[in-house]
Amino acid sequence: MVESIITFRNVTKKYKDTVILENINFELKKGRFYTLLGPSGCGKTTTLSLIAGFTDESSGDILMNGQKINHIPANKRKINTVFQDYALFPHLNVFDNIAFGLKIKKKSKNEINEKVTEALKMVRLPGFGDREISEMSGGQKQRVAIARALVNEPEVLLLDEPLSALDMKLRKEMQYELRELQKRLGITFIFVTHDQEEALAMSDEIFVMNHGEIIQRGTPTAIYDEPLNKFVADFIGESNIIEGTMIADGKVKFVGKTFECVDGGMNANELIEVVLRPEDIEVTESQKGKVVGTVISQLFRGVHYEIVCTDIDGNEWKIRSTKKVEVGASVGLNFEPEAIHIMRANESEAEFYQRLEKYQGS
Amino acid sequence: MKTRGLYFSSYVLWLIFFVLAPVALILYQSFIGINGHFTIDNYENFFKVSAYLQMTFNSVLYAALITLITLLVSYPTAYFLTKTKYKQLWLMLVILPTWINILLKAYAFIGIFSQSGPANNFLEWIGLGSHQLLFTNASFMLVAAYIQLPFMILPIFNAIDDLDESLINVSHDLGANGFQTFWNVTFPLTLNGIKSGVQVVFIPSLSLFMLTRLIGGNKVITLGTAIEENFLVTQDWGMGSTIGVILIVTMILIMFLTGEKKRRRR
Ligand SMILES: Nc1ncnc2c1ncn2[C@@H]1O[C@H](COP(=O)(O)OP(=O)(O)OP(=O)(O)O)[C@@H](O)[C@H]1O
Ligand SMILES: [Mg+2]
């Protein structure tokens, strides 16, 4: 049993009368990589501010290592933050920015020198210590901010969209490096992003948020494969969302046909929505497909083609395939029973997981 | 385009007639001796006669003291103003007194500090007895500081108000307490506000002459007083202009010293 490090109990945050975070509950384990994922304005930064202690909760309790920390000021919490807008000190150079926390803690000059040099190496900016902040690029600034936080060896590191200003290549590299770093140091990371790919690639566990609430939490695969509702399905990667009816356990009807599936536990003939991931759909010859469609567009995306088809009823299908097709050609679309994900309307996270467990466990 | 040219030319005219021409005239006058001939006697006198050097020293000393007092009062005031709920309103109240003529304010203080004025009444009431308050150096500096206060508060207020909130958060995040944050972040980042405040207070304070007479009772003779004396009493315009030039040079020097410098590189 891994110890929990940060716990939220019924935490609500209001500004004046506007509710920003509504009754948030979670328990984070030591040494894991968590991601808060959600659209702009959903309350990600606010959640981090509460953990770091920059703002006070309106109600509820925040615990660290089992101790209530509601009234412990930010400078006494063993938590460091990488801010969304870097927030580097403009009057200090790179070295002094990184050394700030160590100087406050009155570390010796040698130790400061050693640790800052090491931190600069870690974020791949060796020899940049003498630079002024104004002489650094956006990506370099972000790495200085990461070094400035990590050099204090916190128990929890909060990262507020730390990679958003980087170009694709550097971003991918930093994702990998951050993840490696987290595993090596064994620090709990709470990472904020609105990029689902980033969240899926890095996290042990993802919290999908919207409008100040946690909509769904789970491992990347769990969230990707079993999205709770249309919002999560849409937010986590592209998907085909089709209305349908649950005929019986393991039998679902959509686009006028009945298919086998692995879901169940719903009422007979309940109206549901089906999620089909574009990469779970296979393109074959038209007579071999479960559904027949006509290719209306094809876009080369580097690793794969993004194909859009319409079936006889006019439904649009998004498909991701490594095979090339002809625009205007008639093709067959195939998918496994496991690829069909069923979503009920207005099902809560708890009900969802309960049903999943009950049906799949039986 | 045409109207812009018009605005611009009127600005240039204003500059020529009310800034450049007077300065040029003063410069010219400063090289004219009592007998009306071109000479550098005035400058020689200034640096030879100890009274003038004493005056220069006094001017700088008192201007520095006034600036220091103003700064010590202004920084905390500005700091707490930025934290109040209706900060713009409070700031407005601080600035309001600058709309009142300086002479009116000086006379008001003569009333307050006089033998039977409220200040002495108060001293008597708390049992300290009445004192000579008017025409002392202390009262001179106090009134000068009072008058300069808004000019110091305003730039400091703006500097603190512009300070990025997240920098304060980072500082706390990195373990600094309130005082450490102030000393390592807030203060250095508002230094430019302090510099502008020092400029706008120190430079005019060098040439105060109304207050030295009305409140200070001419106990301290500053360069401002000396200029007034030379022009209006002894009618030695040449010497008056020389002091004026020296004052202008001092001001430029101070502006240069407190101005924005490029940050040193290590
Ligand atoms: N100091 C504040 N006063 C009032 N409302 C605020 C304040 N700070 C944030 N909010 C509001 O709280 C909501 C959540 O803000 P938050 O910064 O947590 O969003 P976010 O999820 O981090 O978004 P983004 O991805 O754009 O950074 C927003 O609607 C925002 O307008
Ligand atoms: Mg944010």
Side-chain angles (χ1 to χ4, degrees):
Chain A
M1 181 70 198
V2 190
E3 277 175 80
S4 65
I5 188 153
I6 300 279
T7 309
F8 269 42
R9 280 200 196 134
N10 307 321
V11 174
T12 294
K13 174 70 187 173
K14 294 180 195 163
Y15 282 114
K16 300 238 169 69
D17 289 329
T18 332
V19 179
I20 306 294
L21 290 176
E22 170 112 60
N23 201 26
I24 301 284
N25 282 289
F26 59 66
E27 198 178 320
L28 308 183
K29 305 276 184 219
K30 258 192 188 131
R32 308 198 70 196
F33 196 118
Y34 293 93
T35 299
L36 305 181
L37 175 66
S40 190
C42 71
K44 305 182 296 289
T45 299
T46 309
T47 307
L48 291 193
S49 300
L50 287 170
I51 299 174
F54 305 138
T55 45
D56 289 330
E57 59 293 320
S58 307
S59 63
D61 285 334
I62 299 173
L63 291 85
M64 184 169 180
N65 295 322
Q67 304 283 320
K68 214 169 122 174
I69 55 167
N70 291 30
H71 301 297
I72 296 188
N75 59 317
K76 298 265 168 60
R77 299 187 187 185
K78 292 196 104 180
I79 299 172
N80 284 116
T81 311
V82 178
F83 284 76
Q84 189 163 12
D85 51 1
Y86 331 130
L88 297 172
F89 299 118
H91 62 297
L92 301 177
N93 66 14
V94 171
F95 184 97
D96 290 334
N97 259 282
I98 299 175
F100 191 92
L102 298 173
K103 280 184 183 162
I104 291 292
K105 290 181 199 90
K106 306 230 158 46
K107 300 282 183 200
S108 76
K109 238 190 168 120
N110 283 340
E111 191 182 345
I112 293 177
N113 265 330
E114 210 170 282
K115 285 201 165 153
V116 173
T117 311
E118 193 188 324
L120 277 169
K121 239 186 248 156
M122 190 171 64
V123 295
R124 298 223 245 142
L125 291 172
F128 278 70
D130 286 339
R131 289 270 195 110
E132 295 301 329
I133 296 305
S134 57
E135 298 164 346
M136 303 290 276
S137 75
Q140 291 171 333
K141 281 184 196 166
Q142 260 169 339
R143 285 185 280 164
V144 174
I146 291 170
R148 182 178 62 179
L150 273 179
V151 82
N152 299 288
E153 298 165 4
E155 286 183 32
V156 179
L157 185 70
L158 311 177
L159 302 107
D160 200 347
E161 306 197 23
L163 307 181
S164 54
L166 308 187
D167 64 61
M168 189 66 132
K169 192 163 172 292
L170 189 58
R171 187 179 179 137
K172 287 262 157 72
E173 281 173 19
M174 287 298 290
Q175 285 175 1
Y176 182 76
E177 270 173 37
L178 274 180
R179 180 66 208 199
E180 281 300 299
L181 206 67
Q182 185 268 334
K183 280 185 181 155
R184 202 173 75 224
L185 302 176
I187 298 174
T188 310
F189 274 39
I190 308 176
F191 186 92
V192 161
T193 182
H194 54 237
D195 179 338
Q196 67 285 351
E197 271 182 48
E198 194 165 275
L200 292 170
M202 300 177 79
S203 326
D204 287 320
E205 199 167 325
I206 299 175
F207 291 56
V208 183
M209 295 181 67
N210 195 23
H211 297 308
E213 285 180 279
I214 296 177
I215 307 291
Q216 188 178 3
R217 68 196 82 190
T219 61
T221 37
I223 287 193
Y224 190 82
D225 288 342
E226 296 294 345
L228 168 68
N229 56 26
K230 203 167 168 170
F231 171 78
V232 179
D234 237 6
F235 204 77
I236 298 271
E238 270 199 290
S239 45
N240 297 289
I241 298 172
I242 310 144
E243 281 173 16
T245 324
M246 204 66 195
I247 305 290
D249 284 357
K251 271 199 167 33
V252 61
K253 187 178 173 188
F254 58 94
V255 295
K257 294 191 176 80
T258 304
F259 299 92
E260 231 182 277
C261 71
V262 295
D263 248 322
M266 281 149 275
N267 307 325
N269 292 321
E270 187 179 324
L271 290 178
I272 46 89
E273 280 178 317
V274 172
V275 178
L276 270 169
R277 295 289 180 192
E279 66 273 19
D280 287 343
I281 302 175
E282 193 194 358
V283 183
T284 59
E285 291 153 46
S286 58
Q287 62 272 25
K288 285 188 188 161
K290 288 183 174 163
V291 176
V292 177
T294 312
V295 179
I296 55 171
S297 73
Q298 173 172 263
L299 213 69
F300 184 54
R301 288 281 195 179
V303 204
H304 61 264
Y305 291 93
E306 210 165 275
I307 300 163
V308 180
C309 291
T310 49
D311 61 18
I312 324 160
D313 304 315
N315 296 307
E316 243 181 44
W317 295 78
K318 280 176 260 175
I319 302 147
R320 213 172 261 191
S321 167
T322 45
K323 274 186 275 175
K324 203 175 170 181
V325 293
E326 293 292 319
V327 174
S330 184
V331 292
L333 307 177
N334 246 344
F335 38 84
E336 300 293 316
E338 288 79 21
I340 300 172
H341 308 295
I342 312 289
M343 300 184 304
R344 295 173 96 180
N346 303 321
E347 193 173 37
S348 79
E349 199 191 355
E351 289 165 347
F352 172 76
Y353 280 123
Q354 219 169 26
R355 177 174 61 77
L356 226 59
E357 203 167 295
K358 210 166 126 198
Y359 179 73
Q360 289 175 339
S362 66
Chain B
M1 217 44 234
K2 229 174 170 177
T3 48
R4 243 183 84 192
L6 200 69
Y7 284 135
F8 189 67
S9 59
S10 58
Y11 175 68
V12 168
L13 278 179
W14 191 88
L15 211 63
I16 289 172
F17 279 110
F18 297 106
V19 180
L20 294 180
V23 171
L25 276 175
I26 287 178
L27 199 61
Y28 168 77
Q29 280 284 349
S30 70
F31 288 104
I32 304 298
I34 302 185
N35 46 19
H37 293 300
F38 185 87
T39 169
I40 57 161
D41 279 359
N42 293 328
Y43 286 93
E44 237 172 72
N45 272 343
F46 186 91
F47 289 106
K48 260 198 213 137
V49 179
S50 67
Y52 284 123
L53 292 177
Q54 181 68 38
M55 270 179 228
T56 316
F57 177 75
N58 274 346
S59 295
V60 173
L61 177 71
Y62 279 93
L65 284 173
I66 291 164
T67 311
L68 188 70
I69 296 169
T70 323
L71 179 62
L72 288 180
V73 177
S74 297
Y75 201 97
T77 310
Y79 188 84
F80 289 112
L81 279 183
T82 57
K83 303 280 176 275
T84 54
K85 207 164 173 192
Y86 303 102
K87 51 186 175 186
Q88 294 303 335
L89 179 77
W90 288 112
L91 187 66
M92 174 85 175
L93 289 178
V94 168
I95 293 171
L96 217 58
T98 59
W99 296 357
I100 301 169
N101 186 291
I102 183 172
L103 267 180
L104 286 180
K105 284 188 275 195
Y107 280 116
F109 271 103
I110 292 177
I112 291 170
F113 286 150
S114 67
Q115 286 295 325
S116 53
N120 265 324
N121 286 346
F122 179 75
L123 286 181
E124 249 167 64
W125 184 68
I126 60 169
L128 288 177
S130 94
H131 291 268
Q132 173 67 37
L133 297 176
L134 212 53
F135 307 138
T136 58
N137 289 346
S139 63
F140 161 63
M141 284 190 291
L142 194 77
V143 174
Y146 162 78
I147 284 166
Q148 304 282 26
L149 216 51
F151 302 106
M152 185 69 96
I153 291 179
L154 194 62
I156 297 178
F157 175 92
N158 285 334
I160 298 178
D161 207 32
D162 283 349
L163 199 66
D164 186 354
E165 172 81 24
S166 57
L167 292 179
I168 306 296
N169 279 345
V170 182
S171 176
H172 289 308
D173 190 71
L174 294 170
N177 61 27
F179 176 75
Q180 287 166 324
T181 299
F182 176 80
W183 186 244
N184 291 303
V185 181
T186 313
F187 184 72
L189 284 175
T190 49
L191 213 56
N192 277 334
I194 295 176
K195 278 184 184 170
S196 340
V198 166
Q199 267 185 22
V200 283
V201 170
F202 186 81
I203 291 170
S205 298
L206 275 177
S207 56
L208 285 174
F209 61 92
M210 206 87 83
L211 289 181
T212 48
R213 191 167 56 221
L214 291 177
I215 307 285
N218 271 354
K219 289 249 170 58
V220 199
I221 310 282
T222 62
L223 290 179
T225 325
I227 294 173
E228 193 206 11
E229 296 266 305
N230 273 310
F231 272 95
L232 301 181
V233 184
T234 56
Q235 303 265 323
D236 184 354
W237 285 31
M239 194 63 218
S241 299
T242 303
I243 303 172
V245 169
I246 283 167
L247 204 51
I248 290 170
V249 170
T250 318
M251 287 173 183
I252 291 172
L253 214 67
I254 282 157
M255 243 151 91
F256 188 74
L257 283 177
T258 53
E260 290 228 12
K261 268 170 286 184
K262 211 142 173 57
R263 253 166 59 69
R264 86 218 123 88
R265 300 201 43 166
R266 267 168 291 183

mmCIF file of all heavy atoms in Angstrom, chain A residues 91-93 96 130 132 135, chain B residues 261-266:
data_model
loop_
_atom_site.group_PDB
_atom_site.id
_atom_site.type_symbol
_atom_site.label_atom_id
_atom_site.label_comp_id
_atom_site.label_asym_id
_atom_site.label_seq_id
_atom_site.Cartn_x
_atom_site.Cartn_y
_atom_site.Cartn_z
ATOM 1 N N HIS A 91 14.823 40.591 -12.234
ATOM 2 C CA HIS A 91 15.999 41.317 -11.745
ATOM 3 C C HIS A 91 17.156 40.384 -11.398
ATOM 4 O O HIS A 91 18.207 40.845 -10.970
ATOM 5 C CB HIS A 91 15.622 42.169 -10.533
ATOM 6 C CG HIS A 91 15.135 41.356 -9.358
ATOM 7 N ND1 HIS A 91 14.002 40.585 -9.412
ATOM 8 C CD2 HIS A 91 15.624 41.213 -8.114
ATOM 9 C CE1 HIS A 91 13.819 40.005 -8.239
ATOM 10 N NE2 HIS A 91 14.784 40.356 -7.430
ATOM 11 N N LEU A 92 16.945 39.085 -11.576
ATOM 12 C CA LEU A 92 18.010 38.131 -11.266
ATOM 13 C C LEU A 92 18.378 37.364 -12.532
ATOM 14 O O LEU A 92 17.529 37.152 -13.400
ATOM 15 C CB LEU A 92 17.530 37.135 -10.206
ATOM 16 C CG LEU A 92 17.077 37.713 -8.869
ATOM 17 C CD1 LEU A 92 16.566 36.587 -7.971
ATOM 18 C CD2 LEU A 92 18.211 38.454 -8.182
ATOM 19 N N ASN A 93 19.625 36.958 -12.653
ATOM 20 C CA ASN A 93 20.009 36.162 -13.814
ATOM 21 C C ASN A 93 19.610 34.701 -13.593
ATOM 22 O O ASN A 93 19.000 34.357 -12.579
ATOM 23 C CB ASN A 93 21.503 36.320 -14.136
ATOM 24 C CG ASN A 93 22.397 35.752 -13.045
ATOM 25 O OD1 ASN A 93 21.934 35.017 -12.176
ATOM 26 N ND2 ASN A 93 23.669 36.088 -13.087
ATOM 27 N N ASP A 96 20.930 33.038 -10.348
ATOM 28 C CA ASP A 96 20.311 33.534 -9.115
ATOM 29 C C ASP A 96 18.832 33.167 -9.013
ATOM 30 O O ASP A 96 18.304 33.008 -7.913
ATOM 31 C CB ASP A 96 20.489 35.050 -9.009
ATOM 32 C CG ASP A 96 21.946 35.413 -8.732
ATOM 33 O OD1 ASP A 96 22.646 34.565 -8.161
ATOM 34 O OD2 ASP A 96 22.366 36.527 -9.104
ATOM 35 N N ASP A 130 24.933 32.653 -16.325
ATOM 36 C CA ASP A 130 25.183 34.091 -16.337
ATOM 37 C C ASP A 130 24.217 34.878 -17.209
ATOM 38 O O ASP A 130 24.254 36.102 -17.225
ATOM 39 C CB ASP A 130 26.612 34.378 -16.817
ATOM 40 C CG ASP A 130 27.623 34.023 -15.752
ATOM 41 O OD1 ASP A 130 27.217 33.955 -14.578
ATOM 42 O OD2 ASP A 130 28.799 33.802 -16.087
ATOM 43 N N GLU A 132 20.947 36.776 -18.589
ATOM 44 C CA GLU A 132 19.803 37.474 -18.022
ATOM 45 C C GLU A 132 18.541 36.764 -18.509
ATOM 46 O O GLU A 132 18.542 36.130 -19.566
ATOM 47 C CB GLU A 132 19.778 38.931 -18.495
ATOM 48 C CG GLU A 132 20.937 39.780 -18.014
ATOM 49 C CD GLU A 132 21.029 39.858 -16.495
ATOM 50 O OE1 GLU A 132 19.979 39.800 -15.832
ATOM 51 O OE2 GLU A 132 22.142 39.959 -15.981
ATOM 52 N N GLU A 135 17.310 37.459 -21.941
ATOM 53 C CA GLU A 135 18.082 36.910 -23.057
ATOM 54 C C GLU A 135 17.750 35.441 -23.347
ATOM 55 O O GLU A 135 18.438 34.793 -24.117
ATOM 56 C CB GLU A 135 19.591 37.014 -22.767
ATOM 57 C CG GLU A 135 20.076 38.445 -22.611
ATOM 58 C CD GLU A 135 21.456 38.528 -21.962
ATOM 59 O OE1 GLU A 135 21.926 37.536 -21.394
ATOM 60 O OE2 GLU A 135 22.029 39.608 -22.036
ATOM 61 N N LYS B 261 19.740 52.720 -15.767
ATOM 62 C CA LYS B 261 21.005 52.298 -16.342
ATOM 63 C C LYS B 261 20.835 50.901 -16.891
ATOM 64 O O LYS B 261 19.970 50.156 -16.456
ATOM 65 C CB LYS B 261 22.107 52.295 -15.269
ATOM 66 C CG LYS B 261 22.861 53.616 -15.220
ATOM 67 C CD LYS B 261 23.757 53.666 -14.022
ATOM 68 C CE LYS B 261 22.964 53.872 -12.752
ATOM 69 N NZ LYS B 261 23.757 54.015 -11.561
ATOM 70 N N LYS B 262 21.650 50.571 -17.844
ATOM 71 C CA LYS B 262 21.622 49.203 -18.331
ATOM 72 C C LYS B 262 22.197 48.319 -17.228
ATOM 73 O O LYS B 262 23.144 48.690 -16.553
ATOM 74 C CB LYS B 262 22.473 49.110 -19.592
ATOM 75 C CG LYS B 262 21.900 48.068 -20.463
ATOM 76 C CD LYS B 262 21.881 48.264 -21.905
ATOM 77 C CE LYS B 262 21.402 47.014 -22.587
ATOM 78 N NZ LYS B 262 20.117 46.539 -22.175
ATOM 79 N N ARG B 263 21.527 47.193 -17.042
ATOM 80 C CA ARG B 263 21.978 46.346 -15.953
ATOM 81 C C ARG B 263 23.379 45.805 -16.209
ATOM 82 O O ARG B 263 23.699 45.404 -17.317
ATOM 83 C CB ARG B 263 21.015 45.192 -15.753
ATOM 84 C CG ARG B 263 20.187 45.380 -14.502
ATOM 85 C CD ARG B 263 19.006 44.443 -14.451
ATOM 86 N NE ARG B 263 19.400 43.051 -14.486
ATOM 87 C CZ ARG B 263 20.038 42.427 -13.516
ATOM 88 N NH1 ARG B 263 20.396 43.076 -12.427
ATOM 89 N NH2 ARG B 263 20.326 41.165 -13.610
ATOM 90 N N ARG B 264 24.163 45.843 -15.158
ATOM 91 C CA ARG B 264 25.537 45.368 -15.308
ATOM 92 C C ARG B 264 25.517 43.890 -15.649
ATOM 93 O O ARG B 264 24.616 43.152 -15.266
ATOM 94 C CB ARG B 264 26.298 45.634 -13.995
ATOM 95 C CG ARG B 264 26.160 44.546 -12.943
ATOM 96 C CD ARG B 264 26.060 45.144 -11.559
ATOM 97 N NE ARG B 264 24.842 44.699 -10.925
ATOM 98 C CZ ARG B 264 24.763 43.590 -10.235
ATOM 99 N NH1 ARG B 264 25.804 42.825 -10.069
ATOM 100 N NH2 ARG B 264 23.629 43.220 -9.671
ATOM 101 N N ARG B 265 26.514 43.487 -16.410
ATOM 102 C CA ARG B 265 26.615 42.061 -16.734
ATOM 103 C C ARG B 265 27.775 41.457 -15.970
ATOM 104 O O ARG B 265 28.773 42.102 -15.747
ATOM 105 C CB ARG B 265 26.853 41.891 -18.233
ATOM 106 C CG ARG B 265 25.724 42.479 -19.040
ATOM 107 C CD ARG B 265 25.715 41.865 -20.401
ATOM 108 N NE ARG B 265 25.928 40.427 -20.313
ATOM 109 C CZ ARG B 265 25.697 39.626 -21.337
ATOM 110 N NH1 ARG B 265 25.271 40.107 -22.453
ATOM 111 N NH2 ARG B 265 25.909 38.336 -21.218
ATOM 112 N N ARG B 266 27.548 40.222 -15.571
ATOM 113 C CA ARG B 266 28.641 39.583 -14.842
ATOM 114 C C ARG B 266 29.360 38.607 -15.713
ATOM 115 O O ARG B 266 28.783 38.093 -16.660
ATOM 116 C CB ARG B 266 28.091 38.866 -13.614
ATOM 117 C CG ARG B 266 28.132 39.757 -12.404
ATOM 118 C CD ARG B 266 27.325 39.155 -11.290
ATOM 119 N NE ARG B 266 25.910 39.189 -11.648
ATOM 120 C CZ ARG B 266 24.945 38.784 -10.831
ATOM 121 N NH1 ARG B 266 25.218 38.348 -9.658
ATOM 122 N NH2 ARG B 266 23.692 38.838 -11.195
#
